[in-house]
Every structure is written in structure tokens, then in C-alpha cells.
Amino acid sequence: MATAVQKITLSSARDIPFNKLVLSQSNVRRVKAGVSTEELAESIARRGLIQSLHVRPVLDADGAETGMFEVPAGGRRYRALELLMKQKRLGKTAPVPCVVSDAHSGVLIDEVSLVENMERAPLHPLDQFRAFQAMRDKGMTEEAIAAAFFIDVNVVKQRLRLVSVSPALLAIYADDGMKLEQLMAFTVSSDHDRQEQVWEAIKDGWQKEPYHIRRMLTETTVRAADKRAVFVGVEAYEAAGGIVLRDLFESDDGGWLQDAGLLDRLVAEKLKIVADEIAGEGWKWVEAALSFPYGHERGLRELVGATVDLTEEERATREALRNEYDRLEAEYAEADELPDEIDARLGEIEQALEAFEQRPAIYDPADIAIAGVFVSVDSDGSLSVDRGYVRPEDERPVDAEGDDTPEVDGGDGPVATPAVQRAVITIGGQPAEPEDDEEDGVKPLPERLVIELTAHRTLALRNAVAEHPDVAMTLLLHKLVSDTFRHTAPTGCLEANVRHIFFSAQSEELKDSAQASEIAERHGRWGDHVPADDQALWDWLSHLDDGTRLDLLAHCVSFGVNALFERPNPYGSGVSQHGLDVRLAQADRLARATGLDMVAAGWKPTVGNYLGRVTKPRILEAVREGAGQRAAGLIDHLKKGDMAKEAERLLADTGWLPEPLRLVDPDDGQAIEPGAEADAGDDAALPDFLSEDGDDEETDEIEDEDALTIAAE
């Protein structure tokens, strides 16, 4: 015969006037913790009493109920209600929701008080974040949320910042797979792919400290405390479109500037502006650089300038500042710590006195005409200008004995200093002449442009590999055999675990390219069928036919293709020069194996992706290679902006590619130049309006003039 399960009976609930309640002396909470009584009172006034009080009847000496009730569980709520009553915001007889337990229960009142506090589970930070997020989505501001819960607004911002973490990492944190401090470290970057890459790299290792995560996420960035960032100003960097990564959880000294290439360009532009201003003083040359090596002025003669005497008014001001400084120092000599306003004033006086001592020197105009200036950035981000250095080749010839008039080379007249001398300005060791006076030499492509171009090629290679399962199989097998038998082999252009490679720099048009669309569409088709359960995935893969398995293998392997150029790091972090060479060589091999043609893939030179990013000699070189010498000659007189626009039109259908996108000939290691046929016949490469020949010489001249006019439009 089955034993009947005894049913429990819950305590009854009813409203009790507040003046019938007293705080139990058996309440275990003695020490203040958590939200203060005042804050809890405000919360009750705003939202009402969310949780009822637990009370027990008070008995007299004979065991009869007295009509009063003691509160063993809910003492903080009772004190908050008591405070509201004292503030006349709650009536003495206001009904209070209470759960009334049996006065004759065998459970000690102390046990009730203790268990009420011990069984309370704190809210998970992720649940708090989701609640804050829901309230913000419904229209509450961060300040309003903070005020509603009596917390600092930065706490709300920190919790809401967790939305920038990848959902995959949030799920790992929810399952206790990582600590809160680690999760917070991931918020310095909003790139989910990069966050997941970092976690994959460290999850099985021993080095998973938050500082290590932040360092990996910001390894390609520049700290806001860097002298380049201080010199340019974070506001100017952001105004130019730069992104600043910030850490709301730790002191970040202003954050990290994500686009180092943009920052370097802004530094060069600002140095150029300063150099132009200084050149207006008449110096022969101005060298500007972020910094100069030690001893850069060795072998140069330094001019000694004359310091301008102070005026009577300036002397009086300087004397007054010195007296004030001495008086304040004497007045607070015995103080352990200076008041903030006194400390600030002393700093102002020191700066003013230093300005008097650092007055610019005055140089002889004849000396200025043969001397130059070094412009750089100090370690604190301030501008450093060193004037008056004469190079040996610029020294005046020694006067002949007894002759006060120096001779000019090849003549007998005196040395004539030009009325207007144009200074030779160099920025970072490179001439910074106006664009119309650019040198004929072809300079190396900017590093960021090479990275963007190789990002285009990497995406096209991924698409090509996915469409050639046989090549994907060879690539994967090559990688696995290399890892198995050649343990010191470089990584190459395929990541073994085939994770999505982060593009540190890419042009805006990349996401809208045909390859990006094809890859996304192919990924979507596969994703509709891939099971989420691990065992189900194994079973599904096991039942696929060989052709389908190869197609899926090619798609997955393609995501690990990495043909990106990046700056080699000889100190161990990142890729070495040898590793980069192997990567790019393998990328060329892949391109040949898949038959990849970047022209067929849809890449064309435009003002935005190439022509507007390089120098005029580079533009002319491109037009010569793609459209012929004659076309280049017709636009070589244009300004750079117009030249780039015209070059885009001339190269539109020529199939010309820049070096990073060309296929390297495996026999001689030289890039195969597209558009080579243009050199054999210039007319064939020119548009009709530039290549038509007339019947007579006069017609030819007219047509040439018309073509030149059209090219300049």
C-alpha cells in the first residue's frame, strides 16, 4: 500500500497596518551591506514594495496574540518604510503586504531570518546587462537607468558595453566558460571576428589574463598617449574618420587609435603645414620628421642668433612674476601639500617665465639664406623646432686675402642672395614639393594601400578556392603534410584551423564586390543545411556524397586563405619576412592553380582604390603600361586630381593591375605586367578620340588639340 505524500501548507498573506509591525530582535542582519536604507526607501517610493515582509505574531506571557507582529525577515525593507513614514511620505496605518507565519511553528525565528538572507541569489551580470539593454531599447537613457537604480552612470555604460562582445563569447561567459574580467577585456574592440580569433588563440593556453586579451586586441593600434596622437589630437583624428577603441572597465589613458595609417598621414600633413610656415621665413631647407636619430646635426654648423632684448614692460612683468613665485613658495614652504589653486598658479608662473627665457633668436638674413631648420615631435607630443644649421656644401666660399667681396662661381661679381628663396622641404626624409613639381621617380606604394589591394586579392582567392575542390584538397593536404613532417615550416597562406582571417585594412568597396556577394550567398546556402548539434553534424557529413563533401571542404578551406601583406616584425610578434615571402608565394601558386584573374574578378583601378592614393609618377606609369605612352603624354600636364580622374577613364577597359594584384611568373619571379600589348601598339590601347589619324598634318594637329582638351576636362 503506497504511503500518502503529506502536503505542505504555505503561510497566509495579508495587509497589516505599519504601526502594528516591529523589527524582530532575532533578525540576523546587523552589518550594513548593499543598497543603503535611503536608496531602498526611494526605490519603494518609485516602484512600491516589490517583496512582502515575513512576519510572526507577537505573543504575550500567556501565549496569546497581542495584535502586534515582529519582522524577522525583511528588516531593511521595514527600516526603509519607517524612513518614509518619518518623512511624512507614508501613513502610520498604511497597509503593508506581509506573509504571516505560525507563531507556534517549530521553526526558530532566527532560522527564518538567516535563510531569507542566505538563499538570496545575486543577479548574474549578464542578466543585469540584458535588463539595462531592454530598458534602453524602450527609451530610457543611461542617466535615467542609473538614477532609477541609484548607481553611477559609468556602471550602466559598462554593462551596456557588453553588447559589443560577440554573442558566441557571451554564451561562453553565461556557461561559466570565462570570467567577467576576461569578458570585459573583449569590449575594447567591437569586431566580433577578431574577438573570437583572440579567444580561440588563448582559450586552451595558460595566458588568459585580461591584460593579455586587451594587448592582442589592440596590437595593431596606437595608444592615445603616443606622441603622434598627442601631436595631432584625438579630436582631429576622429574628425578625419578615425576610430578610437576605449575601455570603460580599466584606465586606458584615452584609448587606442585603430587606424595607424590615418594617424601617420595626419602627422605628416601637420608637419608639412608647420614646415611651410617656417619656410616662409626664408630658410634654404626645412627637414620635418616624427623624430631624428641621435647626432643628426653632426657635421653641421649651428648659427648663433641674437636674442631680442626685453622691453621695459616685459621686464616689469617678468620681475612681478618672479616676486609672486618667491612669495607663494615662502608662504607655503611648511605645508605638506600645496592647495590645488596654488599649485596650478605656480605652474602658470613657471610657464610664463620659461617663455621669457625661450624667446626666438634673430638671425642675419644672409645666414638664413644658406641655413635650414629641423622640425620634429618631442616625446610629449609637443612641436620641436631647431633653427639655424648650415650644411658644409652650403657654406660661403672663403674670401680671397685683401678682398672683401666674395666671388661668384664662374664670375667676378658679389654673391647675390635671391630676393625670394623657395625652401626645400622634406617630410620623413622624402621631398614634400607641391604636386606640380613632383619628382619623376616612382616611389613605393603606401603600405596601407598594399594591404587593401591584397585584401581584394585574398577575397578573390577564397572565392576561387571554393570553386576548385581539387585545389582546396591539395592546399589542405599540403598544409597538413607540412605540419606533420616539416615542423618548422612557416604558416603560409592557409591557417590550419581555418578561421576567418581578419582584414586589418580594407577599402569601402570590398564589402560590395562580386566576390563578397558570392561568398556570402554560398555560405548562406550551406548554412541552411548544416545541423547545429555536434552529433547531428557528424551524421550529416557522413551521408554526403563525395562531390558534395568536396564542395563543402573547398568552401570551408577557402575561409582560411590569407594572402594579405603585412609589415614583417623581426622581434617575434606577427609574421617574419620569410613567413611573409612564403605566404605570398603560396598565394601566387593558388592563383595559378585556380586560374584567378583579378581583372575577370572585377577589379578596376579607380580614383578611390588606387589612382587617388598614389603619386603622379605612379599614375603616369599605370597609364603608360595600360593605355600606352601617347595616352600618358596627353595627361602629364594635369593636376593630380584631374590626372587621377582621367587615368581612371583611360584604364577602365585595359585590364591593367598594380603590382600587388599581378601574377608572378614562376620562372623569373617577375610580376607579369598586364596591358603589355599596349606598348607594342599605342594606338590600339587609346580611346578612339585619342587615336584617330587625319588625312593631313593640319587635321592631325586639330585632333590632337581636341583630344588634349577632352583629357583635361
Side-chain angles (χ1 to χ4, degrees):
M1 181 176 175
T3 304
V5 178
Q6 185 177 2
K7 301 294 191 296
I8 64 173
T9 301
L10 299 177
S11 301
S12 61
R14 60 188 170 115
D15 291 342
I16 299 175
F18 180 73
N19 61 352
K20 297 297 183 182
L21 301 175
V22 293
L23 188 61
S24 174
Q25 297 303 309
S26 299
N27 193 297
V28 299
R29 188 183 290 277
R30 296 283 192 269
V31 181
K32 290 184 179 181
V35 180
S36 68
T37 302
E38 292 78 8
E39 291 174 349
L40 182 56
E42 292 299 328
S43 177
I44 294 173
R46 175 185 173 89
R47 307 176 183 89
L49 190 63
I50 298 175
Q51 184 179 356
S52 301
L53 301 182
H54 188 98
V55 300
R56 182 175 287 191
V58 177
L59 306 179
D60 59 15
D62 298 328
E65 295 187 8
T66 62
M68 298 295 292
F69 296 85
E70 59 180 338
V71 183
R76 291 175 60 251
R77 279 162 281 154
Y78 173 84
R79 292 188 184 281
L81 293 170
E82 185 180 43
L83 178 60
L84 290 172
M85 185 195 68
K86 292 179 180 179
Q87 295 173 346
K88 308 298 184 182
R89 301 167 70 185
L90 181 73
K92 292 182 179 181
T93 59
V96 179
C98 299
V99 175
V100 184
S101 63
D102 185 4
H104 301 285
S105 171
V107 178
L108 294 175
I109 194 170
D110 307 80
E111 180 182 341
V112 173
S113 177
L114 181 61
V115 76
E116 191 265 346
N117 287 282
M118 288 183 62
E119 292 182 350
R120 183 183 303 161
L123 188 66
H124 195 282
L126 197 56
D127 292 328
Q128 187 184 47
F129 143 65
R130 287 167 176 159
F132 285 168
Q133 182 70 22
M135 285 185 282
R136 189 172 67 173
D137 292 343
K138 293 177 182 178
M140 287 187 71
T141 64
E142 296 169 350
E143 290 74 14
I145 296 173
F149 292 95
F150 311 103
I151 56 178
D152 190 274
V153 68
N154 282 333
V155 175
V156 179
K157 290 181 178 180
Q158 288 173 352
R159 292 293 181 260
L160 290 175
R161 184 65 176 268
L162 295 177
V163 74
S164 65
V165 179
S166 164
L169 298 187
L170 291 177
I172 294 173
Y173 170 61
D175 293 336
D176 297 326
M178 73 170 66
K179 298 177 181 179
L180 177 60
E181 292 77 10
Q182 293 170 320
L183 184 71
M184 293 188 301
F186 280 104
T187 64
V188 301
S189 172
S190 58
D191 189 287
H192 291 177
D193 290 336
R194 182 59 179 156
Q195 292 171 356
E196 293 170 13
Q197 279 185 352
V198 171
W199 179 249
E200 286 295 324
I202 68 171
K203 68 176 183 179
D204 297 324
W206 59 272
Q207 199 170 20
K208 292 186 284 189
E209 295 299 322
Y211 76 86
H212 184 62
I213 295 173
R214 291 185 181 91
R215 185 173 61 192
M216 293 183 68
L217 288 171
T218 59
E219 61 186 357
T220 60
T221 63
V222 179
R223 293 201 70 94
D226 186 277
K227 70 176 184 178
R228 290 171 292 172
V230 176
F231 177 64
V232 171
V234 175
E235 297 79 7
Y237 166 80
E238 290 180 308
I243 298 174
V244 179
L245 306 179
R246 302 187 189 277
D247 190 349
L248 292 180
F249 299 92
E250 297 286 341
S251 175
D252 59 9
D253 293 328
W256 298 267
L257 281 62
Q258 190 174 25
D259 194 337
L262 172 61
L263 178 62
D264 289 338
R265 178 171 65 82
L266 294 176
V267 170
E269 290 175 354
K270 188 170 182 179
L271 284 174
K272 176 65 166 57
I273 293 173
V274 174
D276 285 338
E277 293 176 355
I278 295 174
E281 300 173 7
W283 300 97
K284 183 171 184 179
W285 52 266
V286 178
E287 282 194 19
L290 183 64
S291 60
F292 290 104
Y294 174 76
H296 66 281
E297 75 283 1
R298 185 173 301 164
L300 306 182
R301 178 169 63 90
E302 184 176 1
L303 298 178
V304 178
T307 304
V308 180
D309 291 336
L310 296 176
T311 64
E312 290 299 328
E313 183 179 354
E314 288 174 334
R315 286 197 182 92
T317 302
R318 183 179 63 177
E319 192 64 26
L321 288 172
R322 286 175 175 171
N323 292 336
E324 182 182 359
Y325 190 92
D326 294 340
R327 178 178 58 80
L328 291 175
E329 266 199 332
E331 185 176 346
Y332 292 93
E334 303 298 329
D336 295 333
E337 187 174 352
L338 292 175
D340 292 340
E341 63 276 10
I342 300 301
D343 189 45
R345 178 54 184 163
L346 289 175
E348 293 173 359
I349 296 175
E350 288 175 351
Q351 290 182 358
L353 291 174
E354 185 178 357
F356 281 114
E357 300 300 327
Q358 300 296 329
R359 298 189 311 284
I362 303 299
Y363 299 96
D364 188 293
D367 288 336
I368 291 178
I370 64 171
V373 183
F374 292 106
V375 180
S376 60
V377 181
D378 276 339
S379 58
D380 61 356
S382 61
L383 185 68
S384 174
V385 179
D386 295 323
R387 292 176 172 84
Y389 288 90
V390 183
R391 293 166 174 164
E393 61 270 24
D394 295 330
E395 293 284 6
R396 297 189 187 91
V398 179
D399 295 346
E401 186 175 351
D403 188 0
D404 295 333
T405 305
E407 294 183 355
V408 180
D409 293 341
D412 299 328
V415 175
T417 302
V420 178
Q421 175 173 277
R422 185 172 186 176
V424 177
I425 300 176
T426 58
I427 307 294
Q430 298 295 325
E433 297 295 334
E435 61 179 23
D436 289 339
D437 295 330
E438 286 194 47
E439 293 181 359
D440 294 334
V442 178
K443 301 175 184 177
L445 293 176
E447 182 178 295
R448 181 179 175 85
L449 177 57
V450 176
I451 296 174
E452 290 183 9
L453 293 174
T454 53
H456 272 283
R457 192 185 191 210
T458 298
L459 197 64
L461 270 176
R462 289 180 182 177
N463 196 41
V465 168
E467 293 174 347
H468 293 76
D470 55 331
V471 176
M473 176 68 79
T474 304
L475 175 64
L476 179 59
L477 188 59
H478 175 275
K479 175 60 181 173
L480 296 179
V481 170
S482 295
D483 288 348
T484 303
F485 298 99
R486 301 167 59 236
H487 302 293
T488 60
T491 301
C493 76
L494 176 68
E495 300 289 346
N497 53 358
V498 190
R499 63 177 182 268
H500 193 102
I501 304 304
F502 171 71
F503 291 166
S504 59
Q506 55 181 287
S507 58
E508 294 183 359
E509 64 185 29
L510 186 63
K511 64 179 182 299
D512 299 322
S513 63
Q515 291 75 36
S517 300
E518 289 183 31
I519 291 173
E521 181 181 355
R522 186 186 302 113
H523 194 68
R525 289 199 305 269
W526 282 115
D528 292 338
H529 303 288
V530 175
D533 180 72
D534 187 69
Q535 182 60 45
L537 174 61
W538 179 270
D539 296 338
W540 178 70
L541 291 172
S542 301
H543 289 89
L544 293 178
D545 60 78
D546 291 343
T548 305
R549 286 158 63 89
L550 276 176
D551 289 341
L552 179 57
L553 172 67
H555 176 68
C556 295
V557 169
S558 71
F559 275 92
V561 173
N562 181 4
L564 289 171
F565 170 84
E566 62 180 283
R567 181 183 298 173
N569 187 343
Y571 302 108
S573 175
V575 66
S576 65
Q577 182 63 55
H578 176 57
L580 180 63
D581 293 341
V582 171
R583 175 193 296 178
L584 298 181
Q586 289 186 7
D588 287 328
R589 190 162 62 229
L590 266 185
R592 288 192 295 273
T594 58
L596 173 65
D597 182 355
M598 289 302 297
V599 176
W603 193 92
K604 291 183 179 181
T606 66
V607 174
N609 68 15
Y610 183 83
L611 298 169
R613 310 274 297 279
V614 297
T615 60
K616 289 173 64 176
R618 278 278 184 186
I619 300 174
L620 293 173
E621 179 188 51
V623 175
R624 270 194 298 270
E625 292 177 353
Q629 179 62 43
R630 185 179 177 189
L634 290 172
I635 66 172
D636 62 2
H637 67 288
L638 299 177
K639 290 185 177 295
K640 182 177 176 180
D642 297 332
M643 180 185 291
K645 293 178 183 177
E646 190 61 27
E648 177 179 334
R649 185 172 63 80
L650 291 172
L651 294 173
D653 300 316
T654 62
W656 180 87
L657 295 172
E659 295 94 324
L661 299 186
R662 298 176 186 175
L663 193 61
V664 174
D665 190 334
D667 295 330
D668 58 11
Q670 298 297 318
I672 301 174
E673 295 186 6
E677 66 279 1
D679 292 334
D682 287 347
D683 291 347
L686 287 175
D688 292 340
F689 74 90
L690 291 178
S691 60
E692 292 178 354
D693 292 328
D695 296 332
D696 52 42
E697 183 177 351
E698 182 179 354
T699 304
D700 288 342
E701 292 176 358
I702 295 174
E703 289 181 349
D704 283 346
E705 291 176 0
D706 292 341
L708 191 62
T709 303
I710 295 173
E713 289 179 353

